[in-house]
Amino acid sequence: MSDADDGTEDQFAIPCRPERRYPHSGGVEYEGETVFSLTPTPAQSDDRLQSIVEGVLAGERYTYGDWFDLPMPLYLVNDEATGDVFRVSIRDGTVRLHVLPATDSPGLRGLFEHLRAATDDVAWRVDCHVG
């Protein structure tokens, strides 16, 4: 995808959604994935990105949690304005928005716009990966 500043409205169009499965052994699994990678320029540390993301998520629009014991920040986010739910991770200087089966573009776009507003000194590139 193209640079975030090019005005493309559909940079968060979701080309493919993961499918949710419930194995007999319990839990939930996802088959397939779509991830939007938000890469800042200049480069930012994971700690700074975590601070920026948590600052945005602390706003009235979001409910979020970090319930996982992982070596990287991973949040389950509910955008109360759009009703979208998705995951956000931070790793290797990149913020990643992980699409869930019912995620729609407005929630992803909204978080991205809030990140841009919170970082006047940063330009963001948006890339979409489907696996």
Side-chain angles (χ1 to χ4, degrees):
M1 297 230 153
S2 56
D3 188 277
D5 293 327
D6 71 358
T8 305
E9 286 190 31
D10 65 351
Q11 65 187 343
F12 289 100
I14 299 171
C16 183
R17 296 177 186 283
E19 292 186 28
R20 190 176 287 141
R21 297 180 340 157
Y22 301 95
H24 292 292
S25 60
V28 64
E29 295 176 352
Y30 295 97
E31 187 171 312
E33 71 175 352
T34 296
V35 177
F36 290 91
S37 297
L38 313 179
T39 306
T41 301
Q44 305 291 310
S45 71
D46 286 357
D47 288 341
R48 175 134 197 279
L49 290 175
Q50 182 176 357
S51 177
I52 293 166
V53 168
E54 288 180 356
V56 167
L57 294 178
E60 291 181 17
R61 178 173 175 156
Y62 299 102
T63 303
Y64 74 100
D66 181 9
W67 297 288
F68 308 101
D69 185 19
L70 298 173
M72 66 179 193
L74 177 65
Y75 308 95
L76 182 62
V77 176
N78 176 22
D79 182 328
E80 295 179 9
T82 65
D84 289 313
V85 177
F86 51 93
R87 284 183 268 165
V88 176
S89 66
I90 301 165
R91 187 171 197 172
D92 299 328
T94 301
V95 176
R96 293 178 175 92
L97 309 181
H98 303 261
V99 173
L100 295 174
T103 303
D104 285 321
S105 298
L108 303 173
R109 190 178 303 110
L111 181 64
F112 174 68
E113 291 301 327
H114 281 93
L115 288 173
R116 283 180 56 178
T119 55
D120 293 337
D121 59 337
V122 175
W124 295 89
R125 188 181 79 228
V126 177
D127 295 298
C128 180
H129 308 277
V130 177

